Amino acid sequence: MAQVRHSKDQGHRAFFFLLLFYFLRVPIAHADQVEIQWEHQEGANEYDLEIETGHKVVFQQRFPSKTTSWSGALPFGSYLYRIRAINQDGVTGPWSEPIPFLATPNTPQPLYPPDKTTVIYKPDVAVTLKWSKVSGISQFLLLLNGASSAEIRKIVTGNEVEIPSLRPDDYTWTVTPILRIRVKTGQQAQSQIVEAKASEPANFRLRVVKDSLNPLSELPIRKISLNFSAGIEAGTSYVFPMFAMKAALEKGFALGLRYAYGRSSVGAASLRYQSLRLNASYYFSEKHFSGIFAQLGAGADFFSAATATAEEGGRLSKAVDLALGWQWKPSSSGLNLAISLGGQYATRPDINIVDVQFSGLLPLATLLLGYAF
């Protein structure tokens, strides 16, 4: 019996559904190309493959007996295929039962509201959602979920829809191309809705203003996420305690301030160290204080050293640093742990009476425990 098998290819992306009525189910396979296979028939010298859509044959080819498969890309639509065998005398056997399958469309992309934005509107105005057009598709299934609102499920004709009476909330939405096909089982034909692949979820925050003359007066005050932490900073031959604060911005960016202070003994000398750095961080997960991050800092360091017989004045050094780190923040708690490794560059000369280098390119390691609000 002929079979359809889906296989990967580097061509245009498409998704295929094989409707297997024998098993009364509709399995879904994602692939770039459809492959039709059939079993070798004893005595067969050749095979005919025929594919049709809308009672019109769109593909027909004869294959030698050693070939038991065909693969190729088809435009979007519903199809039937069938196979027959031909013996060495040219006598054709009966066609197999037609097997239906569906080549599905491209995935739509949410366009408006832009992902991860805040939408401001008046209570009597509907919110408009828009997505990209998909060739050959006129209807879509919209799913709109609010963090504290009931799910909205709606079949939409076209690529935009107005949703009235939405309450202020954080929303996630997707659109899925759908196609209505007629499936014949026995003497009866039924209409069936087939869903393609849904769009990636998009998010927006909805806020309401009542004063149309001054809508900015009722915009929500933006909540700033803060992270306070303490830990240790380690460089060349020194380890000092440090304190840090970061304020999270949109899309994974954060601005921070880092301060380190400490005293230590190096032989007969005592060393005092202070450091103040401004820094900017980017979290690749785009989550506040969570995941892998890169950090760039700039500021000043102050060193002074003294012995029982001699004292050297303090030295102010300009410094920049670059580090790559990881920060872990459990979702159920504000407590978090951060560790980073990198390097710094200091501009001032070393302190002569202490055998410790503080200028030039130096390694830098940081370990912090913090709490995020």
Side-chain angles (χ1 to χ4, degrees), residues 45-91:
N45 190 56
E46 293 176 310
Y47 299 100
D48 280 339
L49 169 65
E50 189 175 86
I51 301 175
E52 68 172 49
T53 179
H55 304 291
K56 180 182 179 181
V57 175
V58 294
F59 179 85
Q60 190 174 42
Q61 187 170 336
R62 179 163 292 186
F63 300 91
S65 61
K66 293 182 179 181
T67 302
T68 56
S69 67
W70 170 85
S71 62
L74 293 170
F76 164 70
S78 57
Y79 297 87
L80 296 170
Y81 77 88
R82 58 181 184 169
I83 304 288
R84 69 179 178 183
I86 303 98
N87 66 15
Q88 61 182 359
D89 297 326
V91 178

mmCIF file of all heavy atoms in Angstrom, residues 45-91:
data_model
loop_
_atom_site.group_PDB
_atom_site.id
_atom_site.type_symbol
_atom_site.label_atom_id
_atom_site.label_comp_id
_atom_site.label_asym_id
_atom_site.label_seq_id
_atom_site.Cartn_x
_atom_site.Cartn_y
_atom_site.Cartn_z
ATOM 1 N N ASN A 45 6.583 -4.085 -13.404
ATOM 2 C CA ASN A 45 7.692 -3.607 -14.216
ATOM 3 C C ASN A 45 7.841 -2.084 -14.108
ATOM 4 O O ASN A 45 8.940 -1.548 -14.224
ATOM 5 C CB ASN A 45 7.491 -4.002 -15.672
ATOM 6 C CG ASN A 45 8.725 -3.738 -16.525
ATOM 7 O OD1 ASN A 45 9.800 -4.238 -16.212
ATOM 8 N ND2 ASN A 45 8.560 -2.947 -17.574
ATOM 9 N N GLU A 46 6.715 -1.416 -13.854
ATOM 10 C CA GLU A 46 6.697 0.039 -13.695
ATOM 11 C C GLU A 46 5.564 0.411 -12.741
ATOM 12 O O GLU A 46 4.697 -0.399 -12.411
ATOM 13 C CB GLU A 46 6.475 0.730 -15.054
ATOM 14 C CG GLU A 46 7.615 0.566 -16.042
ATOM 15 C CD GLU A 46 7.277 1.179 -17.386
ATOM 16 O OE1 GLU A 46 6.176 0.863 -17.917
ATOM 17 O OE2 GLU A 46 8.093 1.957 -17.900
ATOM 18 N N TYR A 47 5.582 1.697 -12.322
ATOM 19 C CA TYR A 47 4.522 2.232 -11.463
ATOM 20 C C TYR A 47 4.090 3.595 -11.993
ATOM 21 O O TYR A 47 4.907 4.376 -12.487
ATOM 22 C CB TYR A 47 5.005 2.393 -10.020
ATOM 23 C CG TYR A 47 5.438 1.112 -9.363
ATOM 24 C CD1 TYR A 47 6.786 0.790 -9.267
ATOM 25 C CD2 TYR A 47 4.506 0.219 -8.836
ATOM 26 C CE1 TYR A 47 7.200 -0.383 -8.664
ATOM 27 C CE2 TYR A 47 4.918 -0.955 -8.230
ATOM 28 C CZ TYR A 47 6.264 -1.253 -8.145
ATOM 29 O OH TYR A 47 6.666 -2.418 -7.542
ATOM 30 N N ASP A 48 2.808 3.861 -11.859
ATOM 31 C CA ASP A 48 2.262 5.190 -12.151
ATOM 32 C C ASP A 48 1.891 5.870 -10.841
ATOM 33 O O ASP A 48 1.222 5.268 -9.989
ATOM 34 C CB ASP A 48 1.012 5.096 -13.033
ATOM 35 C CG ASP A 48 1.351 4.894 -14.496
ATOM 36 O OD1 ASP A 48 2.491 5.210 -14.886
ATOM 37 O OD2 ASP A 48 0.478 4.412 -15.246
ATOM 38 N N LEU A 49 2.324 7.118 -10.689
ATOM 39 C CA LEU A 49 1.927 7.949 -9.538
ATOM 40 C C LEU A 49 1.135 9.124 -10.071
ATOM 41 O O LEU A 49 1.544 9.784 -11.028
ATOM 42 C CB LEU A 49 3.154 8.448 -8.776
ATOM 43 C CG LEU A 49 2.892 9.532 -7.723
ATOM 44 C CD1 LEU A 49 2.031 9.004 -6.587
ATOM 45 C CD2 LEU A 49 4.210 10.095 -7.192
ATOM 46 N N GLU A 50 0.013 9.395 -9.428
ATOM 47 C CA GLU A 50 -0.853 10.498 -9.851
ATOM 48 C C GLU A 50 -1.272 11.298 -8.622
ATOM 49 O O GLU A 50 -1.705 10.734 -7.622
ATOM 50 C CB GLU A 50 -2.078 9.954 -10.577
ATOM 51 C CG GLU A 50 -2.936 11.018 -11.243
ATOM 52 C CD GLU A 50 -4.061 10.387 -12.048
ATOM 53 O OE1 GLU A 50 -5.126 10.109 -11.454
ATOM 54 O OE2 GLU A 50 -3.855 10.151 -13.255
ATOM 55 N N ILE A 51 -1.104 12.615 -8.709
ATOM 56 C CA ILE A 51 -1.514 13.532 -7.634
ATOM 57 C C ILE A 51 -2.501 14.522 -8.222
ATOM 58 O O ILE A 51 -2.266 15.098 -9.283
ATOM 59 C CB ILE A 51 -0.298 14.274 -7.045
ATOM 60 C CG1 ILE A 51 0.719 13.277 -6.485
ATOM 61 C CG2 ILE A 51 -0.735 15.231 -5.951
ATOM 62 C CD1 ILE A 51 1.995 13.927 -5.996
ATOM 63 N N GLU A 52 -3.617 14.738 -7.518
ATOM 64 C CA GLU A 52 -4.631 15.667 -8.019
ATOM 65 C C GLU A 52 -5.120 16.566 -6.891
ATOM 66 O O GLU A 52 -4.993 16.252 -5.700
ATOM 67 C CB GLU A 52 -5.813 14.916 -8.621
ATOM 68 C CG GLU A 52 -6.659 14.145 -7.627
ATOM 69 C CD GLU A 52 -7.915 13.584 -8.273
ATOM 70 O OE1 GLU A 52 -7.800 12.960 -9.352
ATOM 71 O OE2 GLU A 52 -8.999 13.767 -7.685
ATOM 72 N N THR A 53 -5.654 17.705 -7.295
ATOM 73 C CA THR A 53 -6.300 18.620 -6.364
ATOM 74 C C THR A 53 -7.478 19.266 -7.085
ATOM 75 O O THR A 53 -7.361 19.653 -8.253
ATOM 76 C CB THR A 53 -5.330 19.701 -5.850
ATOM 77 O OG1 THR A 53 -6.029 20.577 -4.957
ATOM 78 C CG2 THR A 53 -4.739 20.528 -6.965
ATOM 79 N N GLY A 54 -8.610 19.355 -6.413
ATOM 80 C CA GLY A 54 -9.797 19.938 -7.029
ATOM 81 C C GLY A 54 -10.216 19.227 -8.292
ATOM 82 O O GLY A 54 -10.588 19.881 -9.273
ATOM 83 N N HIS A 55 -10.129 17.869 -8.307
ATOM 84 C CA HIS A 55 -10.483 17.045 -9.473
ATOM 85 C C HIS A 55 -9.610 17.340 -10.689
ATOM 86 O O HIS A 55 -9.989 17.062 -11.817
ATOM 87 C CB HIS A 55 -11.966 17.234 -9.843
ATOM 88 C CG HIS A 55 -12.913 16.951 -8.716
ATOM 89 N ND1 HIS A 55 -13.111 15.683 -8.222
ATOM 90 C CD2 HIS A 55 -13.691 17.781 -7.976
ATOM 91 C CE1 HIS A 55 -13.985 15.740 -7.228
ATOM 92 N NE2 HIS A 55 -14.351 17.004 -7.055
ATOM 93 N N LYS A 56 -8.434 17.902 -10.448
ATOM 94 C CA LYS A 56 -7.502 18.190 -11.542
ATOM 95 C C LYS A 56 -6.151 17.561 -11.229
ATOM 96 O O LYS A 56 -5.603 17.753 -10.150
ATOM 97 C CB LYS A 56 -7.343 19.703 -11.726
ATOM 98 C CG LYS A 56 -6.380 20.081 -12.843
ATOM 99 C CD LYS A 56 -6.239 21.591 -12.946
ATOM 100 C CE LYS A 56 -5.253 21.986 -14.037
ATOM 101 N NZ LYS A 56 -5.090 23.465 -14.127
ATOM 102 N N VAL A 57 -5.633 16.791 -12.178
ATOM 103 C CA VAL A 57 -4.339 16.139 -11.988
ATOM 104 C C VAL A 57 -3.239 17.191 -12.120
ATOM 105 O O VAL A 57 -3.137 17.881 -13.129
ATOM 106 C CB VAL A 57 -4.126 15.000 -13.006
ATOM 107 C CG1 VAL A 57 -2.726 14.419 -12.856
ATOM 108 C CG2 VAL A 57 -5.175 13.913 -12.815
ATOM 109 N N VAL A 58 -2.408 17.312 -11.082
ATOM 110 C CA VAL A 58 -1.327 18.296 -11.092
ATOM 111 C C VAL A 58 0.044 17.634 -11.227
ATOM 112 O O VAL A 58 1.043 18.323 -11.474
ATOM 113 C CB VAL A 58 -1.366 19.156 -9.809
ATOM 114 C CG1 VAL A 58 -2.620 20.014 -9.779
ATOM 115 C CG2 VAL A 58 -1.258 18.288 -8.555
ATOM 116 N N PHE A 59 0.102 16.324 -11.036
ATOM 117 C CA PHE A 59 1.376 15.622 -11.196
ATOM 118 C C PHE A 59 1.093 14.178 -11.617
ATOM 119 O O PHE A 59 0.223 13.517 -11.052
ATOM 120 C CB PHE A 59 2.173 15.627 -9.886
ATOM 121 C CG PHE A 59 3.484 14.899 -9.986
ATOM 122 C CD1 PHE A 59 4.617 15.529 -10.460
ATOM 123 C CD2 PHE A 59 3.581 13.556 -9.616
ATOM 124 C CE1 PHE A 59 5.828 14.857 -10.548
ATOM 125 C CE2 PHE A 59 4.776 12.880 -9.703
ATOM 126 C CZ PHE A 59 5.904 13.528 -10.172
ATOM 127 N N GLN A 60 1.821 13.708 -12.621
ATOM 128 C CA GLN A 60 1.692 12.322 -13.062
ATOM 129 C C GLN A 60 3.037 11.878 -13.619
ATOM 130 O O GLN A 60 3.636 12.572 -14.446
ATOM 131 C CB GLN A 60 0.603 12.177 -14.126
ATOM 132 C CG GLN A 60 0.261 10.737 -14.452
ATOM 133 C CD GLN A 60 -0.917 10.654 -15.412
ATOM 134 O OE1 GLN A 60 -0.994 11.424 -16.368
ATOM 135 N NE2 GLN A 60 -1.834 9.745 -15.155
ATOM 136 N N GLN A 61 3.516 10.734 -13.158
ATOM 137 C CA GLN A 61 4.818 10.265 -13.611
ATOM 138 C C GLN A 61 4.882 8.740 -13.523
ATOM 139 O O GLN A 61 4.278 8.133 -12.632
ATOM 140 C CB GLN A 61 5.946 10.884 -12.775
ATOM 141 C CG GLN A 61 7.344 10.575 -13.303
ATOM 142 C CD GLN A 61 8.410 11.391 -12.596
ATOM 143 O OE1 GLN A 61 8.134 12.453 -12.068
ATOM 144 N NE2 GLN A 61 9.630 10.883 -12.585
ATOM 145 N N ARG A 62 5.598 8.130 -14.480
ATOM 146 C CA ARG A 62 5.810 6.686 -14.479
ATOM 147 C C ARG A 62 7.242 6.402 -14.022
ATOM 148 O O ARG A 62 8.181 7.058 -14.455
ATOM 149 C CB ARG A 62 5.556 6.109 -15.867
ATOM 150 C CG ARG A 62 5.764 4.606 -15.973
ATOM 151 C CD ARG A 62 5.107 4.042 -17.219
ATOM 152 N NE ARG A 62 3.646 4.123 -17.126
ATOM 153 C CZ ARG A 62 2.820 3.597 -18.042
ATOM 154 N NH1 ARG A 62 3.308 2.976 -19.113
ATOM 155 N NH2 ARG A 62 1.519 3.719 -17.893
ATOM 156 N N PHE A 63 7.376 5.411 -13.134
ATOM 157 C CA PHE A 63 8.664 5.078 -12.541
ATOM 158 C C PHE A 63 9.023 3.630 -12.853
ATOM 159 O O PHE A 63 8.138 2.767 -12.941
ATOM 160 C CB PHE A 63 8.620 5.251 -11.016
ATOM 161 C CG PHE A 63 8.284 6.643 -10.573
ATOM 162 C CD1 PHE A 63 6.960 7.016 -10.353
ATOM 163 C CD2 PHE A 63 9.276 7.579 -10.372
ATOM 164 C CE1 PHE A 63 6.642 8.285 -9.946
ATOM 165 C CE2 PHE A 63 8.974 8.861 -9.958
ATOM 166 C CZ PHE A 63 7.650 9.217 -9.743
ATOM 167 N N PRO A 64 10.317 3.331 -13.000
ATOM 168 C CA PRO A 64 10.733 1.933 -13.167
ATOM 169 C C PRO A 64 10.497 1.139 -11.888
ATOM 170 O O PRO A 64 10.323 1.713 -10.801
ATOM 171 C CB PRO A 64 12.227 2.050 -13.487
ATOM 172 C CG PRO A 64 12.644 3.366 -12.914
ATOM 173 C CD PRO A 64 11.455 4.260 -13.042
ATOM 174 N N SER A 65 10.506 -0.182 -11.994
ATOM 175 C CA SER A 65 10.151 -1.039 -10.863
ATOM 176 C C SER A 65 11.102 -0.897 -9.688
ATOM 177 O O SER A 65 10.722 -1.165 -8.547
ATOM 178 C CB SER A 65 10.104 -2.504 -11.315
ATOM 179 O OG SER A 65 11.384 -2.914 -11.796
ATOM 180 N N LYS A 66 12.343 -0.484 -9.948
ATOM 181 C CA LYS A 66 13.286 -0.340 -8.850
ATOM 182 C C LYS A 66 13.004 0.901 -7.999
ATOM 183 O O LYS A 66 13.545 1.051 -6.906
ATOM 184 C CB LYS A 66 14.713 -0.264 -9.399
ATOM 185 C CG LYS A 66 15.194 -1.565 -10.037
ATOM 186 C CD LYS A 66 16.636 -1.433 -10.503
ATOM 187 C CE LYS A 66 17.126 -2.746 -11.119
ATOM 188 N NZ LYS A 66 18.539 -2.651 -11.573
ATOM 189 N N THR A 67 12.181 1.815 -8.495
ATOM 190 C CA THR A 67 11.846 3.035 -7.758
ATOM 191 C C THR A 67 10.538 2.832 -6.994
ATOM 192 O O THR A 67 9.528 2.443 -7.589
ATOM 193 C CB THR A 67 11.706 4.228 -8.716
ATOM 194 O OG1 THR A 67 12.927 4.395 -9.437
ATOM 195 C CG2 THR A 67 11.378 5.494 -7.956
ATOM 196 N N THR A 68 10.566 3.072 -5.716
ATOM 197 C CA THR A 68 9.346 2.916 -4.896
ATOM 198 C C THR A 68 9.078 4.161 -4.056
ATOM 199 O O THR A 68 8.481 4.072 -2.978
ATOM 200 C CB THR A 68 9.470 1.689 -3.969
ATOM 201 O OG1 THR A 68 10.650 1.837 -3.168
ATOM 202 C CG2 THR A 68 9.525 0.406 -4.764
ATOM 203 N N SER A 69 9.516 5.319 -4.539
ATOM 204 C CA SER A 69 9.248 6.554 -3.805
ATOM 205 C C SER A 69 9.365 7.752 -4.737
ATOM 206 O O SER A 69 9.996 7.681 -5.787
ATOM 207 C CB SER A 69 10.211 6.714 -2.621
ATOM 208 O OG SER A 69 11.527 6.919 -3.083
ATOM 209 N N TRP A 70 8.737 8.837 -4.316
ATOM 210 C CA TRP A 70 8.849 10.132 -5.004
ATOM 211 C C TRP A 70 8.824 11.218 -3.940
ATOM 212 O O TRP A 70 8.076 11.128 -2.954
ATOM 213 C CB TRP A 70 7.701 10.338 -5.979
ATOM 214 C CG TRP A 70 7.652 11.751 -6.527
ATOM 215 C CD1 TRP A 70 8.331 12.254 -7.581
ATOM 216 C CD2 TRP A 70 6.869 12.845 -6.002
ATOM 217 N NE1 TRP A 70 8.043 13.581 -7.763
ATOM 218 C CE2 TRP A 70 7.145 13.973 -6.804
ATOM 219 C CE3 TRP A 70 5.987 12.970 -4.936
ATOM 220 C CZ2 TRP A 70 6.557 15.215 -6.576
ATOM 221 C CZ3 TRP A 70 5.400 14.203 -4.694
ATOM 222 C CH2 TRP A 70 5.686 15.306 -5.526
ATOM 223 N N SER A 71 9.625 12.257 -4.112
ATOM 224 C CA SER A 71 9.608 13.386 -3.186
ATOM 225 C C SER A 71 9.610 14.675 -3.982
ATOM 226 O O SER A 71 10.170 14.753 -5.077
ATOM 227 C CB SER A 71 10.819 13.343 -2.243
ATOM 228 O OG SER A 71 12.023 13.453 -2.969
ATOM 229 N N GLY A 72 8.958 15.687 -3.421
ATOM 230 C CA GLY A 72 8.896 16.984 -4.080
ATOM 231 C C GLY A 72 8.095 17.964 -3.258
ATOM 232 O O GLY A 72 7.400 17.590 -2.306
ATOM 233 N N ALA A 73 8.183 19.232 -3.609
ATOM 234 C CA ALA A 73 7.433 20.286 -2.933
ATOM 235 C C ALA A 73 6.173 20.614 -3.723
ATOM 236 O O ALA A 73 6.185 20.599 -4.954
ATOM 237 C CB ALA A 73 8.299 21.532 -2.773
ATOM 238 N N LEU A 74 5.088 20.902 -3.020
ATOM 239 C CA LEU A 74 3.817 21.243 -3.649
ATOM 240 C C LEU A 74 3.296 22.556 -3.080
ATOM 241 O O LEU A 74 3.519 22.852 -1.906
ATOM 242 C CB LEU A 74 2.781 20.139 -3.401
ATOM 243 C CG LEU A 74 3.054 18.785 -4.067
ATOM 244 C CD1 LEU A 74 2.083 17.735 -3.532
ATOM 245 C CD2 LEU A 74 2.942 18.896 -5.571
ATOM 246 N N PRO A 75 2.584 23.353 -3.896
ATOM 247 C CA PRO A 75 1.974 24.576 -3.361
ATOM 248 C C PRO A 75 0.936 24.225 -2.298
ATOM 249 O O PRO A 75 0.435 23.100 -2.231
ATOM 250 C CB PRO A 75 1.318 25.215 -4.597
ATOM 251 C CG PRO A 75 1.983 24.579 -5.766
ATOM 252 C CD PRO A 75 2.360 23.201 -5.341
ATOM 253 N N PHE A 76 0.603 25.228 -1.499
ATOM 254 C CA PHE A 76 -0.393 25.028 -0.459
ATOM 255 C C PHE A 76 -1.709 24.531 -1.046
ATOM 256 O O PHE A 76 -2.172 25.002 -2.074
ATOM 257 C CB PHE A 76 -0.637 26.338 0.286
ATOM 258 C CG PHE A 76 -1.901 26.325 1.090
ATOM 259 C CD1 PHE A 76 -1.994 25.532 2.219
ATOM 260 C CD2 PHE A 76 -2.989 27.062 0.690
ATOM 261 C CE1 PHE A 76 -3.159 25.503 2.957
ATOM 262 C CE2 PHE A 76 -4.158 27.043 1.425
ATOM 263 C CZ PHE A 76 -4.238 26.258 2.561
ATOM 264 N N GLY A 77 -2.323 23.566 -0.361
ATOM 265 C CA GLY A 77 -3.614 23.035 -0.784
ATOM 266 C C GLY A 77 -3.825 21.612 -0.317
ATOM 267 O O GLY A 77 -2.945 20.986 0.275
ATOM 268 N N SER A 78 -5.011 21.090 -0.576
ATOM 269 C CA SER A 78 -5.331 19.704 -0.248
ATOM 270 C C SER A 78 -5.183 18.852 -1.510
ATOM 271 O O SER A 78 -5.542 19.275 -2.610
ATOM 272 C CB SER A 78 -6.757 19.602 0.299
ATOM 273 O OG SER A 78 -7.688 20.114 -0.628
ATOM 274 N N TYR A 79 -4.669 17.636 -1.362
ATOM 275 C CA TYR A 79 -4.343 16.778 -2.490
ATOM 276 C C TYR A 79 -4.804 15.341 -2.233
ATOM 277 O O TYR A 79 -5.062 14.948 -1.089
ATOM 278 C CB TYR A 79 -2.825 16.769 -2.734
ATOM 279 C CG TYR A 79 -2.239 18.108 -3.110
ATOM 280 C CD1 TYR A 79 -1.823 19.006 -2.122
ATOM 281 C CD2 TYR A 79 -2.082 18.477 -4.443
ATOM 282 C CE1 TYR A 79 -1.276 20.230 -2.457
ATOM 283 C CE2 TYR A 79 -1.525 19.701 -4.779
ATOM 284 C CZ TYR A 79 -1.135 20.574 -3.786
ATOM 285 O OH TYR A 79 -0.595 21.785 -4.126
ATOM 286 N N LEU A 80 -4.879 14.585 -3.321
ATOM 287 C CA LEU A 80 -5.064 13.138 -3.290
ATOM 288 C C LEU A 80 -3.963 12.508 -4.143
ATOM 289 O O LEU A 80 -3.578 13.066 -5.167
ATOM 290 C CB LEU A 80 -6.430 12.729 -3.854
ATOM 291 C CG LEU A 80 -7.687 13.183 -3.107
ATOM 292 C CD1 LEU A 80 -8.922 12.888 -3.961
ATOM 293 C CD2 LEU A 80 -7.806 12.467 -1.771
ATOM 294 N N TYR A 81 -3.451 11.365 -3.694
ATOM 295 C CA TYR A 81 -2.517 10.656 -4.565
ATOM 296 C C TYR A 81 -2.935 9.185 -4.642
ATOM 297 O O TYR A 81 -3.576 8.657 -3.731
ATOM 298 C CB TYR A 81 -1.072 10.787 -4.084
ATOM 299 C CG TYR A 81 -0.708 9.910 -2.912
ATOM 300 C CD1 TYR A 81 -0.236 8.608 -3.112
ATOM 301 C CD2 TYR A 81 -0.811 10.390 -1.618
ATOM 302 C CE1 TYR A 81 0.102 7.809 -2.051
ATOM 303 C CE2 TYR A 81 -0.466 9.590 -0.547
ATOM 304 C CZ TYR A 81 -0.011 8.297 -0.760
ATOM 305 O OH TYR A 81 0.322 7.505 0.311
ATOM 306 N N ARG A 82 -2.563 8.540 -5.742
ATOM 307 C CA ARG A 82 -2.843 7.120 -5.912
ATOM 308 C C ARG A 82 -1.747 6.489 -6.763
ATOM 309 O O ARG A 82 -1.040 7.173 -7.512
ATOM 310 C CB ARG A 82 -4.218 6.899 -6.540
ATOM 311 C CG ARG A 82 -4.422 7.551 -7.887
ATOM 312 C CD ARG A 82 -5.816 7.293 -8.419
ATOM 313 N NE ARG A 82 -6.008 7.825 -9.764
ATOM 314 C CZ ARG A 82 -7.061 7.549 -10.525
ATOM 315 N NH1 ARG A 82 -8.022 6.747 -10.067
ATOM 316 N NH2 ARG A 82 -7.176 8.065 -11.742
ATOM 317 N N ILE A 83 -1.597 5.160 -6.625
ATOM 318 C CA ILE A 83 -0.532 4.399 -7.274
ATOM 319 C C ILE A 83 -1.145 3.207 -8.010
ATOM 320 O O ILE A 83 -2.133 2.622 -7.562
ATOM 321 C CB ILE A 83 0.472 3.871 -6.229
ATOM 322 C CG1 ILE A 83 1.051 5.018 -5.390
ATOM 323 C CG2 ILE A 83 1.590 3.082 -6.882
ATOM 324 C CD1 ILE A 83 2.018 5.888 -6.112
ATOM 325 N N ARG A 84 -0.537 2.850 -9.162
ATOM 326 C CA ARG A 84 -0.901 1.596 -9.821
ATOM 327 C C ARG A 84 0.361 0.972 -10.422
ATOM 328 O O ARG A 84 1.347 1.657 -10.688
ATOM 329 C CB ARG A 84 -1.956 1.815 -10.906
ATOM 330 C CG ARG A 84 -1.475 2.574 -12.121
ATOM 331 C CD ARG A 84 -2.598 2.697 -13.145
ATOM 332 N NE ARG A 84 -2.164 3.469 -14.316
ATOM 333 C CZ ARG A 84 -2.972 3.768 -15.339
ATOM 334 N NH1 ARG A 84 -4.246 3.361 -15.322
ATOM 335 N NH2 ARG A 84 -2.520 4.464 -16.348
ATOM 336 N N ALA A 85 0.303 -0.354 -10.623
ATOM 337 C CA ALA A 85 1.442 -1.101 -11.159
ATOM 338 C C ALA A 85 1.181 -1.489 -12.611
ATOM 339 O O ALA A 85 0.039 -1.674 -13.033
ATOM 340 C CB ALA A 85 1.704 -2.339 -10.314
ATOM 341 N N ILE A 86 2.260 -1.615 -13.391
ATOM 342 C CA ILE A 86 2.198 -2.063 -14.796
ATOM 343 C C ILE A 86 3.164 -3.242 -14.939
ATOM 344 O O ILE A 86 4.319 -3.154 -14.506
ATOM 345 C CB ILE A 86 2.596 -0.931 -15.765
ATOM 346 C CG1 ILE A 86 1.695 0.294 -15.555
ATOM 347 C CG2 ILE A 86 2.527 -1.405 -17.198
ATOM 348 C CD1 ILE A 86 2.316 1.357 -14.689
ATOM 349 N N ASN A 87 2.678 -4.336 -15.539
ATOM 350 C CA ASN A 87 3.562 -5.497 -15.697
ATOM 351 C C ASN A 87 4.411 -5.347 -16.962
ATOM 352 O O ASN A 87 4.300 -4.365 -17.704
ATOM 353 C CB ASN A 87 2.775 -6.805 -15.680
ATOM 354 C CG ASN A 87 1.851 -6.945 -16.892
ATOM 355 O OD1 ASN A 87 1.989 -6.220 -17.892
ATOM 356 N ND2 ASN A 87 0.911 -7.871 -16.826
ATOM 357 N N GLN A 88 5.236 -6.368 -17.253
ATOM 358 C CA GLN A 88 6.173 -6.270 -18.376
ATOM 359 C C GLN A 88 5.485 -6.307 -19.733
ATOM 360 O O GLN A 88 6.072 -5.912 -20.754
ATOM 361 C CB GLN A 88 7.192 -7.404 -18.285
ATOM 362 C CG GLN A 88 6.592 -8.792 -18.351
ATOM 363 C CD GLN A 88 7.657 -9.869 -18.213
ATOM 364 O OE1 GLN A 88 8.843 -9.559 -18.081
ATOM 365 N NE2 GLN A 88 7.229 -11.126 -18.243
ATOM 366 N N ASP A 89 4.209 -6.749 -19.767
ATOM 367 C CA ASP A 89 3.449 -6.731 -21.017
ATOM 368 C C ASP A 89 2.709 -5.423 -21.229
ATOM 369 O O ASP A 89 1.961 -5.279 -22.208
ATOM 370 C CB ASP A 89 2.452 -7.895 -21.026
ATOM 371 C CG ASP A 89 3.161 -9.244 -20.995
ATOM 372 O OD1 ASP A 89 4.263 -9.345 -21.597
ATOM 373 O OD2 ASP A 89 2.623 -10.184 -20.365
ATOM 374 N N GLY A 90 2.865 -4.471 -20.291
ATOM 375 C CA GLY A 90 2.184 -3.176 -20.411
ATOM 376 C C GLY A 90 0.787 -3.168 -19.880
ATOM 377 O O GLY A 90 0.057 -2.186 -20.066
ATOM 378 N N VAL A 91 0.366 -4.234 -19.209
ATOM 379 C CA VAL A 91 -0.986 -4.299 -18.636
ATOM 380 C C VAL A 91 -0.977 -3.560 -17.295
ATOM 381 O O VAL A 91 -0.153 -3.845 -16.421
ATOM 382 C CB VAL A 91 -1.437 -5.754 -18.452
ATOM 383 C CG1 VAL A 91 -2.827 -5.793 -17.805
ATOM 384 C CG2 VAL A 91 -1.436 -6.474 -19.785
#
